[in-house]
Amino acid sequence: MYLLEVLSGPLDGKTWTFEDEITIGRDDSVAQACIALDRYVSRKHARLRADGEKILLTDLKSRNGTRLDGKNIGDHEQLALGVPFIVGRTMLRVTRA
């Protein structure tokens, strides 16, 4: 089980748990991790998928991109637990629950 946590932005401190996969976005009808208050987050912005001990971060063709280490990721990037990443103007991280 994993924990997705907001580190900054309008929902600072908000968390969601997931086992295999979670979608991040602004529309709660398509995103389990809904960040509706950040207008720079796309309706369906990014997806996290657990694959063994790895987490795969995928940008879902969002308008403003998904950033890791200050750079927009391509289609997807491997994400280490605890490393912050940014969707819109919201910083998040994944840890074990």
Side-chain angles (χ1 to χ4, degrees):
M1 179 85 61
Y2 296 94
L3 183 73
L4 174 62
E5 176 184 14
V6 177
L7 299 176
S8 70
L11 295 176
D12 190 12
K14 173 80 173 146
T15 61
W16 299 270
T17 57
F18 68 101
E19 284 192 37
D20 299 319
E21 185 175 288
I22 190 167
T23 301
I24 303 164
R26 198 176 62 225
D27 183 344
D28 65 0
S29 69
V30 294
Q32 296 81 38
C34 182
I35 306 173
L37 297 175
D38 185 341
R39 63 186 179 136
Y40 294 94
V41 172
S42 295
R43 179 176 177 267
K44 198 161 130 177
H45 197 105
R47 178 175 296 124
L48 292 163
R49 187 176 72 227
D51 183 17
E53 289 299 310
K54 298 183 271 186
I55 300 289
L56 190 64
L57 173 62
T58 304
D59 184 77
L60 301 174
K61 300 186 187 322
S62 66
R63 183 174 183 180
N64 294 303
T66 301
R67 291 177 301 192
L68 178 63
D69 293 327
K71 296 179 244 173
N72 278 349
I73 67 169
D75 290 337
H76 58 271
E77 190 79 33
Q78 187 170 325
L79 180 68
L81 291 177
V83 173
F85 64 97
I86 297 173
V87 297
R89 292 195 173 167
T90 301
M91 183 179 290
L92 305 128
R93 74 174 169 192
V94 177
T95 58
R96 288 223 180 257

